[in-house]
Amino acid sequence: DKTGKISYTLWNNNVDLIKELGLNDGDTVKILSAQSRQGRDNEITLSHWDGRILKIEGDYDIPEYEENIIKIGGAQEIKDVTLIGIVTKIQDTIQFDRQDGTKGYVKSIEITDETGSIRVTLWGDDTKLKVAKGDILKVMGGNIEYDDYATSGYRVNTNWNTELRVNPEEN
């Protein structure tokens, strides 16, 4: 709603609720008895364990939500941002070894709008995103961070809560 947004995580068999309820982007839901916890970066998140989720249909007093899409040229250190740009560069995925011995993956993509360009850093499974030069990429929930190596001085760092949409219908 207009006061902000929160992550709501479904676990194990509860993931099937999305299909069972016929949920799509933009649908309104009512969440009952969710568990809250402090997640990464001290953000509060909700989890579905013993709660209920209901799809809301019809006329209800639903709080307004207006997405704030920032222009790339106005980049500064901000958390939880939404940006849209044309993909202008795609770097190869880099594999690295974590301290625990598992493999990690990182990939950088540059997006551009009429105000400038910025590097978007993708991690893990997001490095497999099917995207090509000329596609439009919408990044929702990324963090803009200062970066000595970026041309603009900033980059968008994605995280486990970032949503990426290639060629979204709405801009």
Side-chain angles (χ1 to χ4, degrees):
D1 66 22
K2 64 184 173 188
T3 64
K5 64 182 180 178
I6 192 165
S7 172
Y8 181 63
T9 305
L10 301 172
W11 296 94
N12 302 321
N13 293 334
N14 289 324
V15 172
D16 295 336
L17 288 172
I18 295 169
K19 198 178 286 182
E20 289 172 20
L21 294 171
L23 295 178
N24 295 300
D25 284 348
D27 284 347
T28 302
V29 295
K30 183 175 185 176
I31 298 170
L32 305 168
S33 300
Q35 278 187 341
S36 65
R37 69 179 184 94
Q38 193 167 354
R40 297 180 188 178
D41 297 326
N42 295 321
E43 294 178 25
I44 302 299
T45 62
L46 298 176
S47 290
H48 184 93
W49 289 105
D50 294 324
R52 291 181 58 207
I53 181 170
L54 307 168
K55 183 175 179 180
I56 304 296
E57 305 275 353
D59 294 329
Y60 289 89
D61 185 20
I62 305 298
E64 292 292 320
Y65 174 72
E66 185 175 315
E67 188 172 48
N68 182 22
I69 300 172
I70 71 160
K71 294 293 181 185
I72 293 170
Q76 56 182 317
E77 291 193 56
I78 310 171
K79 290 186 177 220
D80 195 23
V81 297
T82 299
L83 310 112
I84 297 177
I86 297 171
V87 176
T88 52
K89 289 183 186 174
I90 302 173
Q91 295 180 350
D92 292 335
T93 300
I94 297 170
Q95 180 180 306
F96 59 92
D97 295 321
R98 294 189 182 109
Q99 286 183 336
D100 66 1
T102 61
K103 301 288 183 198
Y105 302 92
V106 64
K107 180 179 194 168
S108 292
I109 294 175
E110 185 174 281
I111 61 172
T112 302
D113 69 10
E114 68 277 8
T115 65
S117 297
I118 197 164
R119 183 168 44 118
V120 179
T121 304
L122 307 177
W123 299 93
D125 287 341
D126 287 342
T127 62
K128 299 174 187 171
L129 182 70
K130 301 252 188 262
V131 63
K133 286 183 183 178
D135 283 342
I136 296 172
L137 181 64
K138 183 175 185 180
V139 180
M140 297 169 287
N143 296 328
I144 298 179
E145 301 171 349
Y146 180 76
D147 186 341
D148 281 331
Y149 303 105
T151 307
S152 69
Y154 295 96
R155 71 179 168 119
V156 179
N157 196 24
T158 61
N159 57 64
W160 60 278
N161 202 29
T162 303
E163 185 177 343
L164 304 164
R165 290 189 191 162
V166 178
N167 298 319
E169 292 187 23
E170 81 290 340
N171 287 337

